[in-house]
Amino acid sequence: MDSFSKPIPGIYNYCDAWCARCLFTNRCRSFQIQQEAGLVKAATNSPDLVQQLTDALTLTKQYVEKLNQTNRLIGPDTPTEPQTLALEEKALLPVVDIRRHPLAKLANVYLKQSGRWLSAEKDLLTNAGQEQRWRVELGLQTEEDAMPVLRALKDAWDVIGWYRTLIPVKLLSALRFLTEPATDEHLNDYHLGKAKLVLVSIDRSLMAWETLLTHFPDKTDDVLDLLALLCHLRRDIETLFPNARAFRRPGLD
């Protein structure tokens, strides 16, 4: 097996679940399992992040249940000393409802407001296409000039739609560090990686919004609140996870 086909351990823990755009699906064990289970949709289908996350979560639950059954059959009747200490440490942690955390609430506000904007502007790309065709027919530009513009707008629209759903979901995963033992290095890295993923998702979303505003400056007033929300969210995540930017996700950074 060459280095370009060798699986990348843990890459699926920190990715954006956008398999149709991923260059590493042949090196991702999670993708291979989902493909074998028939959970991977054809690339021609429109992206459905919620369904993909649901499918992946279902698959994970099935795996954990199977693992637990195996452990009950072949494992010891009582936990080991390290496991006992970990359980005791976790029991001493305060009960935190991460869904009520200010960052989680802010992410949900962005999810709802961006959804309303996309719904209200659902004809934006169609109108852009008609305008570009009109300019080509009038000889104001060539078709070769129009296509990159339309592709950029379509890509920006897709990016905004994809990450608006991913951000609150993955942020909750990162915030679980508030309920996990701080001495567990593996969990700390896991949460940092999730925070890094959210920050990257926000960065890409901001660039996508900027692309739309470049071509539709008249929409600036409507979008400013969304940009402010994302910037606020990014700043607070960087404050809560000061080492997240430096975290290197396997295969992705």
Side-chain angles (χ1 to χ4, degrees), residues 143-158:
E143 186 173 340
E144 289 73 18
D145 294 329
M147 290 310 298
V149 173
L150 294 177
R151 280 194 291 266
L153 291 175
K154 178 62 166 58
D155 181 72
W157 185 275
D158 289 345

Side-chain angles (χ1 to χ4, degrees), residues 188-243:
N188 288 340
D189 284 346
Y190 178 81
H191 295 135
L192 273 182
K194 293 296 187 182
K196 173 71 172 286
L197 169 58
V198 176
L199 289 173
V200 170
S201 301
I202 292 174
D203 293 341
R204 292 175 179 172
S205 297
L206 286 170
M207 288 189 290
W209 282 114
E210 290 173 4
T211 297
L212 289 185
L213 291 182
T214 297
H215 296 281
F216 302 102
D218 57 306
K219 305 294 182 182
T220 300
D221 290 343
D222 298 333
V223 173
L224 279 180
D225 287 344
L226 294 171
L227 297 180
L229 267 175
L230 281 179
C231 290
H232 184 183
L233 187 60
R234 179 170 63 179
R235 182 179 65 250
D236 287 356
I237 293 173
E238 289 174 336
T239 300
L240 188 61
F241 298 91
N243 297 320

Side-chain angles (χ1 to χ4, degrees), residues 16-81:
D16 60 13
W18 207 340
C19 299
R21 293 194 174 195
C22 182
L23 301 176
F24 301 105
T25 51
N26 65 319
R27 304 180 65 185
C28 174
R29 182 56 184 151
S30 177
F31 178 83
Q32 293 168 3
I33 292 175
Q34 293 183 59
Q35 193 173 46
E36 292 167 2
L39 299 178
V40 178
K41 296 179 175 59
T44 54
N45 289 353
S46 59
D48 186 347
L49 177 58
V50 174
Q51 187 59 48
Q52 284 198 23
L53 289 174
T54 301
D55 291 341
L57 181 59
T58 300
L59 192 64
T60 302
K61 287 181 177 179
Q62 292 173 351
Y63 172 78
V64 171
E65 289 172 359
K66 183 177 180 181
L67 185 63
N68 288 338
Q69 291 173 358
T70 302
N71 288 339
R72 283 195 293 269
L73 291 174
I74 64 175
D77 294 332
T78 58
T80 63
E81 183 176 353

Side-chain angles (χ1 to χ4, degrees), residues 28-171:
C28 174
R29 182 56 184 151
S30 177
F31 178 83
Q32 293 168 3
I33 292 175
Q34 293 183 59
Q35 193 173 46
E36 292 167 2
L39 299 178
V40 178
K41 296 179 175 59
T44 54
N45 289 353
S46 59
D48 186 347
L49 177 58
V50 174
Q51 187 59 48
Q52 284 198 23
L53 289 174
T54 301
D55 291 341
L57 181 59
T58 300
L59 192 64
T60 302
K61 287 181 177 179
Q62 292 173 351
Y63 172 78
V64 171
E65 289 172 359
K66 183 177 180 181
L67 185 63
N68 288 338
Q69 291 173 358
T70 302
N71 288 339
R72 283 195 293 269
L73 291 174
I74 64 175
D77 294 332
T78 58
T80 63
E81 183 176 353
Q83 290 174 331
T84 301
L85 292 175
L87 289 172
E88 291 175 351
E89 183 178 5
K90 188 171 183 178
L92 293 175
L93 292 172
V95 177
V96 178
D97 186 354
I98 56 176
R99 293 170 299 179
R100 296 181 179 274
H101 192 279
L103 285 179
K105 292 182 178 180
L106 196 61
N108 280 324
V109 170
Y110 172 71
L111 172 67
K112 293 176 182 178
Q113 291 190 7
S114 59
R116 285 196 291 267
W117 190 91
L118 292 173
S119 178
E121 299 291 347
K122 62 182 183 299
D123 296 325
L124 191 67
L125 295 186
T126 300
N127 294 337
Q130 292 174 348
E131 179 184 353
Q132 292 298 315
R133 185 180 63 181
W134 174 76
R135 291 176 61 84
V136 170
E137 291 175 350
L138 290 180
L140 300 177
Q141 66 181 21
T142 65
E143 186 173 340
E144 289 73 18
D145 294 329
M147 290 310 298
V149 173
L150 294 177
R151 280 194 291 266
L153 291 175
K154 178 62 166 58
D155 181 72
W157 185 275
D158 289 345
V159 165
I160 291 169
W162 188 264
Y163 288 114
R164 62 176 285 272
T165 307
L166 183 107
I167 288 170
V169 173
K170 297 303 181 180
L171 180 56

